Amino acid sequence: GTIDHTHSDTWFEYKSPEKEYIPESEEVEKYDALNSNLVEEYEPENSEPDTEFYPTPAVSPPHEDYPSPPPPHESAEYPPPPYEDDEDSEYPVQNERLAKAASELGAYEEWMTQFYEKKYASIFYDDYGRGQDGDYPPANEEGTRHMRMYGEDDITAYPYEPLLHINTTALSYGVLSKSPHGRHLLLITLLEGFNTNYWEPRCGSYIKMYLPNSLKSPEQPEPPQDACILQQVKLNGKVATRDEIVKMFQARFQSKLSRNSPYSRFQMEDVVAVNALVKFVLEQDSFDACVSLLLVIKDYCNQDAFIEAVYIIIQARSDVGFILPSLFSVNPTSFFPGFEEDFEDDYNGTYPENFRHPKQAWRNRGGGNQRNNRISFRTTYRTYTPNNPEFYTWHFREDCLLNSMHSTWHILLNGNIARQMRRRGELFYHMHKQMINRYNADRIAAGMGVVIPYGENDWGRPLHPGYNSNLGRIPGTRAFGARPAGATLGARERRQLRTTSNTLDRAIRTMRINYNRQMRSIGYANGQDRGISPLANVVEAFGPNSNNYGNIHNTGHGMIAAMGGGSSGVMGFTSTGIRDPLFFRWHKFVDDFFSSYKRNLGSYGNELEFDDVTVTDISLRSDRGNGANILNTYNEWAQFRLDQTLTRTRRGGSVYEYERLNHDSFTYTIRIDSDYEGGAVGRTFLVPVGNYQANDVFIEMDKFYIQLTRGQNTITRDSGDAPHLADAPPDLPSLQDYLMRGISEAQFNWGNCGLPQNLALPRGTPEGMRFHLVFLVTRLLDSDRQTIGEWNRHSRSSWTWCGVTPGQGTVPDTRPMGFPFDRPTTTLNSVVNRSNGFSRQITIRYSGN
């Protein structure tokens, strides 16, 4: 169908490009020539080719509803790549600097591979405890089974064994360093207290870290009897001093990123700086040296960079687990407003519409009792007033779990761990696509149309309204600048983005990508999309040589963040970018590159057929008992705790509450008549009722393996079983408690990456918003028949958003992520008007508080 923009918000004006694109005959000839050689040209170096991958036909014919449209970012000419460092370049200094950063990044990623390979090799039991040889290892009385090998000389080898015992008042270094969860506890406890002395009590006063004489600060007092005294560090066989370590750190890191400068993962040079810190620490093989170095460096390091470095080190060291604390409990100033402090006026008197001064909000809060430790972006800290429709999307844009997930995703899947994933780029595409579509459903509920891309025609136009996050700051941290009303991108920025956009459009037209040091044909064959990952890995530069196309995703984030001048806006940081509605407009622009590529692939046609299977019904029922096919969403208060060192800077204690959207859990019931016996895949979607292009609004709700039998099959699925959802990561104090009292192997080795469970449903409307509940049964690909066990193995992980790393198995479903709605050529009718598809309308009601 077509998009109905009649309800689009009036302040986001958009006009389609006036120039019509006419395909050039030589480009069509290139398609034929390239597709005839479409074999694994884009496999990583030294990898074995996939013998089941065969050439795709030339270009699939356009779908009848979608005649070949112009590429969404087309311009008249195709200049050379934007970072080619020649005498005609507009940015020779910048190009040289970025080229050096990209080179350092590639070398670092290759060096880090050894750590991830070692950690993955230690994973030898799946979630159900069965070993690689098919046998089960010894289990404790509760049936918990060992999943990994940790330290060879550990006193306590299992993370579920408690570190605390009766009468324990303090934990010594000897106890903590000789157990996997004790080492993990030490690393995450380093994230406490960036503005307090390192020797002050932490972790509920169970840990008092002190450094040995060679490393201690001159101000460090005499260690008490119950101190956790860290070990010396040896460099080149010699005991290192504090001064030597600080000088080495400053030479390798501080010159690249100062302690008080803003850190952004969207800036390549900042990432290189963090990598330098990680490498400096991991070069010391022993855990003793690792934790001692980090404690010394912490006093001199950029806070955000230090947090990210610790997260990466946890993922890399094989003698600890994977679980991470929520970012908002470690660095709440990036997620919550209201830290009371006088601050400089970063806006120079030019405030965005609906601006509310943070100190005003504090005055409205009242005293410091528990009830007033509440944070609401709907009321006290709202960023838009109710007369602006964007106000009604606060529950999604400003949800702290979603923003924390987005930041953690970029740390994990933009880091070295992702080098082990063949489909990392596709995960980037799919995760952000689903966020856009989920946001579109909430925009529709608020009376707005689907989001309009922030494209070339808009870059020079004033943007209304502005955006101010109201995020406050405490001493030693940054403030977030506002995006003022009427801001635009400058002429230089527009030229740079236009050049980069044209270069990408040209690559998509020719279906050739220069990625991973070689030219690669991109396309589709045997049910697998072999082009989306390389394309996404140059749209957001990832991997060696990926900056050839200008890194348009990250570049745009940085440019938008600087619109207000002065301090960087929220769009410059992965932990805050989602808050600004312009995030979704920018990502829609980015997503149009992927849509343009997938449009070139044509329609799926008979790939959707499964004639031996008939879906006769799908329904759902809320656990609250609202009746069949009626779901309920509501606002609620959720708690989180801050560590004791942070609460010294706040009033009202350590427990805080924030307002969020949630929903009643529900159950699907699916009925299928089958003349086929064997494996299949069930795919469940929500699509808002209305005149919308399915690709813009489909929400993937579930995907699972089905073992069909002949006759009638009845399947029941809980809403929380979906493989893109994740339980909320524990806050830092809670994770410390879990580790001290014992934690299960499954929890210890999972990072809580995925869409927060509370956001599994779009908000709906008070009167009830109608959705198509769509179910499709598809055949297993031949290549997936040998990995059926992976569906069970990953049933408790968010693999459709966060992937599967080596050592943990393989992705169960090798069809394109979002299949079949990933292609703009797929309509709702083309899915449900077949025997193996079914749709019924359901209602989502928003009840408020």
Side-chain angles (χ1 to χ4, degrees):
T2 58
I3 303 174
D4 179 7
H5 291 316
T6 56
H7 300 291
S8 296
D9 35 347
T10 57
W11 52 85
F12 285 160
E13 298 180 356
Y14 174 77
K15 292 183 180 179
S16 300
E18 297 177 358
K19 182 177 71 67
E20 181 180 0
Y21 165 65
I22 302 176
E24 301 174 19
S25 59
E26 61 264 33
E27 298 296 350
V28 176
E29 293 172 1
K30 286 180 183 178
Y31 279 132
D32 296 337
L34 293 174
N35 285 323
S36 67
N37 296 307
L38 189 57
V39 187
E40 288 282 293
E41 291 185 351
Y42 37 80
E43 278 291 305
E45 294 181 51
N46 303 320
S47 64
E48 294 296 325
D50 185 350
T51 56
E52 295 184 349
F53 183 55
Y54 299 99
T56 186
V59 176
S60 303
H63 189 276
E64 58 183 0
D65 293 340
Y66 297 91
S68 298
H73 318 95
E74 190 68 43
S75 280
E77 299 180 357
Y78 291 98
Y83 293 108
E84 189 172 314
D85 191 14
D86 57 31
E87 59 182 6
D88 296 325
S89 173
E90 287 191 72
Y91 314 101
V93 176
Q94 179 189 40
N95 297 344
E96 182 179 350
R97 190 174 68 246
L98 290 176
K100 180 181 179 181
S103 176
E104 291 180 24
L105 194 58
Y108 164 81
E109 290 171 346
E110 293 177 5
W111 181 82
M112 283 290 291
T113 300
Q114 61 184 307
F115 294 96
Y116 293 104
E117 289 178 345
K118 181 179 179 181
K119 187 158 189 172
Y120 301 149
S122 73
I123 303 173
F124 61 98
Y125 297 113
D126 64 23
D127 288 348
Y128 294 94
R130 187 179 295 275
Q132 291 178 345
D133 57 1
D135 296 328
Y136 288 103
N140 66 359
E141 294 179 359
E142 290 76 28
T144 306
R145 304 182 186 278
H146 202 175
M147 292 172 60
R148 292 182 49 221
M149 290 296 295
Y150 303 98
E152 295 181 357
D153 59 346
D154 283 351
I155 297 172
T156 302
Y158 301 93
Y160 49 78
E161 295 182 2
L163 298 171
L164 293 179
H165 301 282
I166 296 175
N167 299 324
T168 299
T169 58
L171 293 169
S172 69
Y173 186 79
V175 169
L176 294 172
S177 64
K178 296 300 181 182
S179 63
H181 47 319
R183 290 186 292 268
H184 204 107
L185 179 61
L186 278 169
L187 288 177
I188 66 167
T189 300
L190 291 170
L191 301 173
E192 275 195 50
F194 284 89
N195 299 295
T196 58
N197 296 319
Y198 66 77
W199 55 82
E200 294 188 21
R202 301 167 193 279
C203 191
S205 297
Y206 283 105
I207 297 178
K208 305 176 183 70
M209 291 190 194
Y210 281 74
L211 287 166
N213 290 335
S214 58
L215 301 175
K216 70 179 183 180
S217 163
E219 289 79 29
Q220 176 182 297
E222 190 67 23
Q225 188 174 357
D226 60 354
C228 175
I229 302 177
L230 275 56
Q231 302 297 296
Q232 295 177 332
V233 174
K234 289 187 177 182
L235 300 176
N236 300 320
K238 177 186 173 183
V239 175
T241 67
R242 181 181 184 87
D243 287 343
E244 289 171 338
I245 289 175
V246 170
K247 288 178 181 178
M248 292 178 63
F249 163 73
Q250 290 175 337
R252 299 176 62 170
F253 177 83
Q254 192 167 0
S255 62
K256 300 179 180 180
L257 185 65
S258 68
R259 190 172 192 271
N260 295 317
S261 62
Y263 167 77
S264 173
R265 174 150 276 282
F266 294 135
Q267 300 296 327
M268 185 180 296
E269 291 168 301
D270 286 3
V271 175
V272 169
V274 169
N275 293 346
L277 172 58
V278 172
K279 190 171 188 291
F280 179 46
V281 174
L282 289 180
E283 282 173 341
Q284 320 309 315
D285 185 56
S286 72
F287 178 82
D288 294 342
C290 171
V291 70
S292 294
L293 273 177
L294 284 169
L295 189 58
V296 171
I297 290 168
K298 181 179 177 181
D299 285 343
Y300 304 89
C301 191
N302 179 285
Q303 178 177 332
D304 293 325
F306 186 86
I307 293 170
E308 181 163 322
V310 171
Y311 274 46
I312 294 171
I313 289 166
I314 288 173
Q315 302 305 302
R317 288 200 64 92
S318 61
D319 52 2
V320 299
F322 287 91
I323 190 169
L324 300 169
S326 64
L327 278 170
F328 63 81
S329 66
V330 174
N331 187 18
T333 53
S334 291
F335 298 90
F336 299 110
F339 285 86
E340 186 166 16
E341 183 199 13
D342 290 329
F343 62 96
E344 299 173 2
D345 187 340
D346 293 313
Y347 315 119
N348 299 318
T350 304
Y351 300 100
E353 289 126 314
N354 308 320
F355 173 83
R356 303 178 75 245
H357 197 289
K359 294 192 72 176
Q360 173 192 353
W362 268 102
R363 287 195 294 271
N364 291 341
R365 282 185 58 199
N369 57 45
Q370 169 99 11
R371 181 170 182 80
N372 282 320
N373 282 348
R374 286 187 160 186
I375 299 169
S376 171
F377 290 100
R378 182 177 62 89
T379 57
T380 310
Y381 298 106
R382 67 190 183 202
T383 52
Y384 290 111
T385 58
N387 62 1
N388 184 327
E390 202 64 64
F391 164 81
Y392 299 97
T393 64
W394 67 268
H395 59 275
F396 189 70
R397 292 183 294 102
E398 296 176 301
D399 183 86
C400 67
L401 284 175
L402 183 66
N403 279 277
S404 182
M405 180 283 302
H406 180 248
S407 189
T408 302
W409 190 99
H410 276 278
I411 292 173
L412 299 183
L413 276 87
N414 278 40
N416 306 282
I417 193 170
R419 280 177 62 86
Q420 314 298 316
M421 298 180 181
R422 285 186 60 184
R423 301 176 71 178
R424 180 265 164 203
E426 188 174 13
L427 288 165
F428 169 84
Y429 147 75
H430 179 67
M431 183 270 286
H432 287 94
K433 176 71 171 179
Q434 283 297 288
M435 287 178 63
I436 295 169
N437 288 9
R438 173 69 169 72
Y439 173 67
N440 275 338
D442 289 332
R443 282 177 58 91
I444 293 168
M448 301 183 281
V450 297
V451 67
I452 304 301
Y454 183 54
E456 181 177 341
N457 288 340
D458 304 300
W459 296 337
R461 295 176 178 173
L463 278 167
H464 293 278
Y467 178 78
N468 178 56
S469 66
N470 287 338
L471 294 177
R473 71 180 186 182
I474 56 176
T477 66
R478 64 167 179 265
F480 294 91
R483 174 172 60 79
T488 65
L489 290 179
R492 178 170 174 167
E493 286 76 17
R494 297 198 300 271
R495 287 196 301 271
Q496 183 178 351
L497 288 179
R498 188 180 303 115
T499 300
T500 307
S501 176
N502 289 341
T503 306
L504 279 167
D505 280 331
R506 187 177 193 179
I508 293 169
R509 288 177 58 202
T510 61
M511 300 292 274
R512 296 271 288 179
I513 292 289
N514 182 359
Y515 176 68
N516 204 14
R517 302 191 179 98
Q518 57 184 296
M519 289 297 297
R520 300 160 182 263
S521 298
I522 56 176
Y524 177 87
N526 291 341
Q528 299 181 32
D529 190 332
R530 301 303 185 95
I532 187 64
S533 271
L535 177 59
N537 283 338
V538 298
V539 169
E540 187 205 32
F542 178 81
N545 209 38
S546 58
N547 205 50
N548 286 345
Y549 294 85
N551 198 4
I552 194 168
H553 166 263
N554 291 5
T555 300
H557 267 276
M559 290 177 177
I560 293 170
M563 277 182 169
S567 299
S568 295
V570 294
M571 275 287 284
F573 309 95
T574 58
S575 58
T576 57
I578 298 173
R579 296 174 178 275
D580 189 341
L582 196 53
F583 172 93
F584 297 95
R585 293 195 64 194
W586 175 247
H587 267 274
K588 173 57 178 169
F589 170 78
V590 170
D591 185 71
D592 278 349
F593 289 110
F594 307 132
S595 294
S596 180
Y597 158 72
K598 285 181 174 284
R599 190 178 286 109
N600 286 346
L601 302 177
S603 59
Y604 280 112
N606 59 12
E607 287 188 66
L608 302 183
E609 295 178 1
F610 204 160
D611 293 337
D612 296 333
V613 171
T614 300
V615 181
T616 59
D617 190 34
I618 181 173
S619 62
L620 48 78
R621 185 173 292 273
S622 167
D623 291 353
R624 181 179 289 194
N626 295 328
N629 305 311
I630 299 174
L631 300 178
N632 186 57
T633 65
Y634 51 86
N635 301 329
E636 67 173 10
W637 294 95
Q639 288 188 347
F640 70 98
R641 289 194 293 162
L642 298 180
D643 69 73
Q644 59 187 5
T645 57
L646 272 176
T647 56
R648 296 171 194 170
T649 64
R650 302 286 307 259
R651 299 182 298 172
S654 63
V655 178
Y656 286 78
E657 293 183 312
Y658 64 94
E659 192 171 22
R660 70 179 187 183
L661 183 76
N662 207 342
H663 62 276
D664 296 330
S665 56
F666 57 94
T667 302
Y668 301 97
T669 301
I670 303 160
R671 291 183 172 83
I672 303 171
D673 289 339
S674 178
D675 293 327
Y676 166 84
E677 186 167 342
V681 178
R683 306 173 190 273
T684 309
F685 307 92
L686 279 181
V687 179
V689 172
N691 191 25
Y692 309 106
Q693 184 173 312
N695 178 259
D696 285 336
V697 293
F698 83 93
I699 302 171
E700 188 174 69
M701 296 296 294
D702 200 1
K703 178 164 59 175
F704 55 94
Y705 174 79
I706 307 171
Q707 185 64 36
L708 290 170
T709 59
R710 297 185 188 277
Q712 188 176 83
N713 297 257
T714 300
I715 301 165
T716 302
R717 291 275 295 180
D718 290 334
S719 56
D721 291 340
H724 66 289
L725 300 177
D727 293 331
D731 55 49
L732 178 57
S734 296
L735 180 53
Q736 290 171 323
D737 288 345
Y738 298 155
L739 292 169
M740 287 190 291
R741 289 169 171 77
I743 187 172
S744 72
E745 288 268 15
Q747 288 177 303
F748 191 54
N749 288 290
W750 173 240
N752 293 93
C753 178
L755 179 69
Q757 288 270 5
N758 64 293
L759 293 176
L761 281 180
R763 194 198 73 162
T765 60
E767 62 275 11
M769 181 174 173
R770 305 290 287 172
F771 287 84
H772 299 285
L773 176 62
V774 179
F775 185 71
L776 179 70
V777 181
T778 60
R779 297 180 183 274
L780 277 178
L781 293 176
D782 290 341
S783 56
D784 292 340
R785 294 185 183 279
Q786 306 304 315
T787 58
I788 290 174
E790 299 297 304
W791 288 95
N792 284 335
R793 181 171 187 170
H794 302 303
S795 63
R796 294 196 294 273
S797 69
S798 307
W799 59 270
T800 60
W801 272 39
C802 302
V804 176
T805 55
Q808 295 177 324
T810 60
V811 172
D813 182 24
T814 56
R815 288 193 187 274
M817 296 177 186
F819 175 85
F821 290 113
D822 61 301
R823 293 190 186 177
T825 53
T826 302
T827 64
L828 181 62
N829 286 338
S830 69
V831 172
V832 301
N833 290 344
R834 56 183 69 246
S835 65
N836 54 311
F838 191 89
S839 174
R840 79 157 55 249
Q841 288 195 16
I842 66 156
T843 300
I844 299 180
R845 287 182 180 152
Y846 169 63
S847 61
N849 297 322

